[in-house]
Each structure stands twice: as C-alpha cells, then as structure tokens.
Amino acid sequence: MEISVVQIVLIFIVSCISGMGSVLDEFQTHRPLVACTLVGLILGDVTTGIIIGGTLEMIALGWMNIGAAQSPDSALASVVSTILVIAGHQSIGAGIAVAMPLAVAGQMLTVFARTITVFFQHKADQYALAGNLTGIDVCHILALFIQALRVSIPAVLVAIFIGTSVVQTMLGAIPPVITGGLQVAGGFIVVVGYAMVINMMQAKYLMPFFFLGFVLAAFTSFNLIAFGVIGAVIAIIYIQLNPKYNVASAPALAGAQAASAADNDLDDDLDA
Amino acid sequence: MTSQDVRLKKSDLFNMFIRSNLHQGSWNYERMQALGYCFMMVPIIKRLYQGDEKVKAMKRHLEFFNTQPFVTAPILGVTAAMEEERAKGAQIDDTAINGIKVGLMGPLAGVGDPIFWGTLRPLVAALGASVALTGSIAGPLLFFVLFNVVRLAVRWYGIEYGYVKGLNVVKDMAGNKLQKLTEGASILGLFVMGALVCKWTTINIPVVILSITMADGKIITTTIQDIFNQLIPGLVPLILTFICMNLLKKKISAIWLIFGLFAIGIVGFALGILK
C-alpha cells in the first residue's frame, strides 16, 4: 500500500506525540493501545490498529521505567509494527515479531537521547546563573523534542519505504512456519510481562492472593471487571482486619507475626 | 533578605499543575528529573523572587531529583509553600528545601511505583486490551480515560494537599496510611495478575497421547492439553510465569525471555507440538 504525503505527515505528528509520551510517561501515548490505534486510524484500518494495540499492550504490560532503569520501548515498537502490518500487509503475528527488536532499538535510542540531554541540563545551569527563566523552559522543551524525533524519524522512514517493491518482497519472503510460530508464541509471551509486574511488587507474603486469583479464574467465567472488584474488596478487608494496623492489642500482633511467618514458609515451598 | 508581602496565587499553582504534565521531558543520566523540577517551579520562582534571590532559587531546583512522576505532586506543593514562606522572610535555607525534596522522593517512589506502575496501569491496560482484542475502540478509550482521570486527580490534589499542609506532610508520611495504600494496591495487583496468568494467556498443546476407537467407529482422542484442562486450566502458563520470574530475578533481560519464547513458539509450531 502506498502511503500518501498527508498520511506521512500525520504519522510524523503521532509518532512525535508517542515519543514524547515515552519519556514523560504521563498521558500514556507511548503505550501500544494508544499509539497503534492512532496509526491504524491514519492508515485507514483502525480495527486492525486496535487489535495490534491490544496484543502488544498485553506483552508490554510489565514494561515500566523504575528509577534509572529503562524498559524496552513501546513507542517505536507500536508505531512501526502497525505500519508494517497495515501498509505492509503482514499478519499480526509478524507485526509482533518485528515489534520486539524495534523495542530494543527504541530502548537504545532513548538511552542515547537521555544521555545527550545532559547538555541541556548544563545549559540550564548557565541560564540559572543569568536568572533567565525562559531559558529553563527552552532547555526543557528542546530536550523533550529530541525524544519526539527519536521515534518520528525512524517511523517516517519506514512509512516512506514500506510501499516500495523491495520491502514488500522481503516481507513476503518470511516463511509461514515463522509467522505461524510467532502467532502461537504471541499467545503465551504475555507471561513475561506478568512476571515483571509480580516481581516488581516484591511482596512474597502476599502471594496467596495471586494464587487465589489464579484458581478463581480457572474455575469461574468472571470477566476482568469482576476480578478488579473482588480484588479491591479482598484488599480492603485484609487492611481492615490486619492486626498490624490495629496496634492496640499486643497479643493480636504476635499472632499476626506468627501467621505471616507461616505464609512466608509456604511461599518458599511453592517457589522451590 | 527583604521581607515583603509576596503571595502565590491559585493561578501559579494551576500553572505548575499544567507544567507537571511535562515533568520528565528532560530526563537525563546526570541529574534525572532535575531540570524538569525547575521547569515546574518556574511560575513559583517568577512570582516570588527577583535578582539574586531568583538565581539562588533556580540553582536550588536544578539539584538532582528523581521519583515516580505522579507522586511529585505533593512535593511540589510543599516546596511551593516553603518558597513562599522564605520569600516572606522566614529563615528557610537552601538545605532545608532540598532536604525535604530528597527526603520525600525516596519514600514516595516506594509508594508510587507499586501503586501506579505495578497496579493501576497493568489493571486498566489489561482491561483495555481485553476489550481491544475484539476490535472495539472502547478498549483504547477505556484505558486512556481511566488512567488519565486518576493521574490528573493525583497531580492536582497532590499539589493542593502539599501546599496546604506544608511541612506537616512529613508527619502524614510517618503514619501508616501510605503503607496501607501500598499493601492494598499490591493485593489487588497480585490477585488480578493471578487471573490474567490463568485466563488471558493462550497455549495449546495438541499432542495426542490417547486414541480410543469406540464401538460405533468414532475415534475419541485425548491430547496433553485436554489433561491439563481437566486438572487445572492455565497450569502451563503458571509454570512459565514462575520460570520467567526466576530468570528475571537472575537479571536476564525481559527482551531475551521474549525472544526465547518466540523460539519455543516457532520450534513448537514446526514440530506440531504447539498450535
């Protein structure tokens, strides 16, 4: 599919917004659900965009920046893989497969952008000495713009070359065993994201709640909203009844400590 | 220091709130969110200081800073209140203001990371994604609206709370309110993760291990997947999740795990073990 000039301009804008979203982490425009949907809208197949977004979102569920650690980059992965699937006529499985190396490339690019931003930090120090508040604004916004470009430049390049016959032939040459296998893997690759989220909680003594959720899901047909409500209710009851938060009675406290020690032992056994 | 009647206006705090949506824009490896913090303080500094005091204030807020972005809101409120006091002539020095920033950013990151990145976002994202997989625009919209409503509320009320309470925020932090919130969020997050591992993963092992020909000529086959489904549905994803958790703890990067699972998928598909 040939991409028109208007579409390329729109892809540039959306990928700028997505790139800024990835460093800001505020509006979540870098998340696949948002970025893939917008690119799908531009390319005239919003439904496919939404489905790729949903698929990638589940895989990227645990991708988060904590402290100074950078996660794989969902912005570049989402934008470019959606272009490949819709304009390059690829399967969603192939799109996901391409998204992963793109996430690594995007991660390297954001590390690079965050390194050269040190320059603006120093420039801001000089403006501070001069008492120039506008200078602070300029430094901050320019740094943000670098993050916009680091996604939009690769995205626009892909959008320009996707229509060429060379790229189309290359994409067509992927054997079906690979795309089929990737489609299959897409179904269970999400566990990596789940594992990242669980690890990040770092609360072994709360793992019984994980198993409760698992077993309830295995033997009921509740949807996610039901699980959200049940989970919230359990959390509130746990907090209300937990003797740790009702320090008044000492015997109760001792009992709780014994109980939580027992929980830990149990978890250790399960993990082993 | 000249004492004068300088006050912050509500519009200054609102300006700070708007700017706080760009908090991490200049995140860098030297001082992380330092420039971003100064950027958010610009309306406050502009209102309160002139000349030499202004330079001092700008330098003060270009010091190292890093925390979970949304929980910066109360810290912004507190520092705005402190700067206002200082501008009025109170004896608050640079170290006091930076001390409170550094003192709050660690504990608040410890609360913000599990609540926002560990619970809220995975929850609304999984909810949005499960709707999106049916091709409905409601999925992305649900995610975008729910997340941002909570986020903007935290940002605005956080600033207001910090500004009104001032240094008393530290007292609030010492109580167990935040601990309750973190623990509750972790319970909710883990509970939903359990459900996701079980139901929102697809793995099918169609290897036939038993084939019985009935009297009427029908052939009934039992695959490995059938046996798993009879025992505990979702047992394979559960085992996979625990393997991933252990490998992640051993500092193996998530991307390598994803590539590894891709390889398993391709090999399994080629051999007919996975479908």
Side-chain angles (χ1 to χ4, degrees):
Chain A
M1 174 180 132
E2 283 282 353
I3 300 182
S4 72
V5 177
V6 179
Q7 281 173 322
I8 287 179
V9 172
L10 288 173
I11 284 175
F12 176 78
I13 295 170
V14 162
S15 48
C16 275
I17 295 172
S18 183
M20 290 192 264
S22 85
V23 67
L24 293 172
D25 229 341
E26 299 282 337
F27 290 96
Q28 308 301 313
T29 51
H30 63 303
R31 297 300 294 185
L33 266 180
V34 179
C36 296
T37 303
L38 290 176
V39 174
L41 201 66
I42 293 169
L43 295 177
D45 188 354
V46 70
T47 311
T48 305
I50 293 169
I51 295 173
I52 304 167
T55 314
L56 278 179
E57 187 66 51
M58 289 305 268
I59 295 172
L61 213 56
W63 295 2
M64 45 188 144
N65 296 334
I66 291 189
Q70 299 307 314
S71 68
D73 175 49
S74 60
L76 190 67
S78 305
V79 173
V80 174
S81 64
T82 311
I83 298 174
L84 281 177
V85 170
I86 297 176
H89 307 293
Q90 295 302 303
S91 69
I92 289 178
I96 294 165
V98 175
M100 294 308 126
L102 284 167
V104 180
Q107 186 182 16
M108 289 176 186
L109 285 172
T110 191
V111 167
F112 178 66
R114 285 162 195 252
T115 308
I116 55 177
T117 301
V118 172
F119 166 79
F120 292 102
Q121 179 76 55
H122 287 212
K123 198 79 194 150
D125 289 341
Q126 291 171 15
Y127 284 125
L129 288 177
N132 183 348
L133 285 170
T134 317
I136 299 287
D137 290 358
V138 170
C139 284
H140 187 77
I141 301 297
L142 280 180
L144 181 58
F145 206 61
I146 289 180
Q147 290 282 354
L149 290 180
R150 70 135 187 117
V151 175
S152 58
I153 291 174
V156 164
L157 286 178
V158 171
I160 290 170
F161 289 110
I162 191 79
T164 60
S165 57
V166 182
V167 176
Q168 295 282 7
T169 324
M170 267 167 58
L171 290 171
I174 303 174
V177 66
I178 301 278
T179 47
L182 295 172
Q183 195 87 45
V184 166
F188 55 83
I189 235 154
V190 288
V191 298
V192 181
Y194 301 156
M196 289 169 90
V197 176
I198 297 165
N199 272 356
M200 160 292 119
M201 304 284 191
Q202 291 175 333
K204 245 187 179 182
Y205 69 103
L206 293 178
M207 281 307 274
F209 294 102
F210 170 82
F211 292 108
L212 184 62
F214 179 86
V215 172
L216 265 184
F219 298 105
T220 65
S221 54
F222 295 157
N223 69 7
L224 263 181
I225 296 179
F227 277 105
V229 173
I230 297 171
V233 169
I234 292 174
I236 292 167
I237 294 174
Y238 176 87
I239 301 290
Q240 280 175 353
L241 297 184
N242 195 332
K244 188 167 71 180
Y245 300 118
N246 307 311
V247 243
S249 53
L253 189 69
Q257 274 163 354
S260 72
D263 274 352
N264 276 330
D265 290 342
L266 189 66
D267 280 347
D268 290 340
D269 291 346
L270 284 168
D271 271 6
Chain B
M1 205 182 299
T2 53
S3 103
Q4 54 191 76
D5 191 33
V6 275
R7 266 166 208 268
L8 290 176
K9 294 182 176 165
K10 190 96 173 176
S11 63
D12 297 329
L13 292 180
F14 187 73
N15 195 342
M16 184 156 76
F17 160 72
I18 296 293
R19 281 167 176 260
S20 74
N21 285 296
L22 303 180
H23 176 192
Q24 299 200 92
S26 56
W27 201 102
N28 63 78
Y29 281 108
E30 189 187 282
R31 266 172 277 165
M32 303 192 180
Q33 301 166 348
L35 175 51
Y37 202 92
C38 191
F39 173 78
M40 296 186 285
M41 288 298 285
V42 162
I44 309 297
I45 298 170
K46 200 179 259 172
R47 175 75 62 200
L48 298 176
Y49 297 115
Q50 300 293 327
D52 197 33
E53 279 297 313
K54 183 159 112 182
V55 172
K56 274 194 199 162
M58 288 170 79
K59 280 162 83 176
R60 214 169 23 244
H61 293 295
L62 281 170
E63 296 280 328
F64 176 90
F65 188 82
N66 198 38
T67 187
Q68 200 281 337
F70 313 155
V71 296
T72 310
I75 310 181
L76 281 170
V78 176
T79 39
M82 287 174 87
E83 292 290 359
E84 191 179 30
E85 287 302 306
R86 184 186 152 111
K88 279 183 196 164
Q91 288 297 317
I92 299 173
D93 58 7
D94 291 0
T95 39
I97 294 174
N98 267 322
I100 200 83
K101 277 167 68 180
V102 173
L104 287 175
M105 73 186 190
L108 279 176
V111 174
D113 285 335
I115 291 180
F116 294 107
W117 300 150
T119 306
L120 179 69
R121 189 168 68 187
L123 232 65
V124 289
L127 183 63
S130 65
V131 178
L133 288 175
T134 66
S136 165
I137 188 85
L141 282 177
L142 205 63
F143 166 69
F144 186 75
V145 172
L146 281 180
F147 189 87
N148 280 298
V149 163
V150 176
R151 180 184 69 83
L152 290 170
V154 169
R155 278 235 177 260
W156 173 247
Y157 291 109
I159 289 177
E160 218 177 29
Y161 161 81
Y163 178 69
V164 171
K165 283 249 173 174
L167 283 175
N168 290 327
V169 165
V170 182
K171 256 184 239 158
D172 282 8
M173 296 265 308
N176 56 22
K177 249 187 221 161
L178 286 179
Q179 203 194 342
K180 280 183 185 175
L181 206 60
T182 315
E183 205 166 36
S186 298
I187 291 172
L188 173 59
L190 286 172
F191 180 78
V192 174
M193 280 303 136
L196 287 173
V197 166
C198 181
K199 223 176 221 169
W200 279 269
T201 43
T202 335
I203 188 160
N204 187 12
I205 309 171
V207 179
V208 178
I209 50 168
L210 199 64
S211 181
I212 303 166
T213 313
M214 303 298 276
D216 57 0
K218 268 190 198 159
I219 299 170
I220 292 179
T221 55
T222 307
T223 65
I224 293 183
Q225 194 60 43
D226 292 334
I227 294 176
F228 278 131
N229 288 348
Q230 279 159 17
L231 280 170
I232 296 180
L235 191 62
V236 182
L238 182 69
I239 294 166
L240 272 181
T241 306
F242 276 102
I243 294 173
C244 288
M245 281 165 63
N246 274 319
L247 291 175
L248 285 167
K249 276 181 194 154
K250 287 181 182 141
K251 301 284 168 217
I252 294 170
S253 99
I255 282 287
W256 284 117
L257 291 182
I258 289 175
F259 283 137
L261 289 177
F262 266 147
I264 292 173
I266 292 169
V267 172
F269 183 73
L271 298 177
I273 303 170
L274 294 169
K275 199 167 88 184

